[in-house]
Amino acid sequence: MTLTFTLDPTVAPALRDGVLDLWTDVSNAGGAVGFVAPVSRDEIRPDLVRQLAAMAEGRNRLLVGHDASGRVAATAFFAFNSHRLRTHWVMLHTVMVHPRHQGKGHGRDLLAAAADAARGFDGIEAIRLGCRGGLGLEHFYGSCGYKEVGRVPGAIRVGPGDDRDDITMLLPLT
């Protein structure tokens, strides 16, 4: 089964709820998407509302993957830089594949679709993303063409005595 990716989908209640469910399920499965399990939909909702507001203002864009049944199965948000010296790259964040779809190559498909989409953005030459150390995510992103370009030891505190590196990855598009 493959996922169907859509850039800038219409934000209707079904999409909003699907992204919220995805974000909750990924977080509660141990995914490094801004929260530490256990987390509820109500805790995640304000972050999603901020993402949707940024989309409405044109600062962010959404790439969403739907499975064969039409359910939201994957997402990645693009954030554009407002600083004039950084407008040539875009930040990719909240990169998620639902746990029931992991291990099937959908993460690679999502990143490839994100790179294809970014190549169509005016003036964008690279994608930058951050990931949490301790989970091997930098190896996965590396296998998808991203290069580690920075690391801040212990910058992410997921719990008392559990500090992780903040790793910056870059994918040149040219």
Side-chain angles (χ1 to χ4, degrees):
M1 171 183 39
T2 61
L3 300 183
T4 303
F5 294 100
T6 305
L7 179 65
D8 301 325
T10 301
V11 180
L15 178 72
R16 183 198 61 225
D17 291 345
V19 173
L20 185 58
D21 289 341
L22 171 66
W23 204 338
T24 304
D25 292 347
V26 168
S27 296
N28 285 326
V33 288
F35 295 91
V36 177
V39 66
S40 70
R41 294 173 91 240
D42 290 336
E43 292 169 285
I44 292 173
R45 185 175 284 109
D47 281 34
L48 177 58
V49 168
R50 280 190 289 279
Q51 294 290 352
L52 297 175
M55 288 170 52
E57 295 167 358
R59 295 182 292 117
N60 284 9
R61 294 178 76 173
L62 171 62
L63 177 67
V64 64
H66 287 91
D67 64 18
S69 66
R71 293 169 62 184
V72 174
T75 62
F77 286 89
F78 297 93
F80 292 90
N81 290 291
S82 60
H83 192 282
R84 66 190 151 278
L85 302 178
R86 297 179 179 192
T87 59
H88 60 289
W89 57 268
V90 66
M91 190 76 169
L92 192 65
H93 61 91
T94 321
V95 177
M96 304 183 282
V97 174
H98 196 281
R100 74 176 162 269
H101 293 293
Q102 291 178 2
K104 301 174 184 175
H106 297 317
R108 289 182 188 288
D109 295 343
L110 174 61
L111 292 173
D116 287 345
R119 284 185 184 95
F121 298 162
D122 210 24
I124 298 300
E125 299 171 10
I127 299 174
R128 184 174 161 182
L129 64 81
C131 64
R132 182 188 302 171
L135 300 171
L137 296 171
E138 66 272 29
H139 303 297
F140 168 70
Y141 290 119
S143 73
C144 295
Y146 285 78
K147 304 261 186 272
E148 182 176 329
V149 295
R151 181 181 289 253
V152 180
I156 300 170
R157 179 161 290 159
V158 295
D162 189 1
D163 295 347
R164 310 286 180 85
D165 293 355
D166 183 1
I167 303 166
T168 301
M169 308 291 293
L170 185 74
L171 178 69
L173 297 173
T174 55

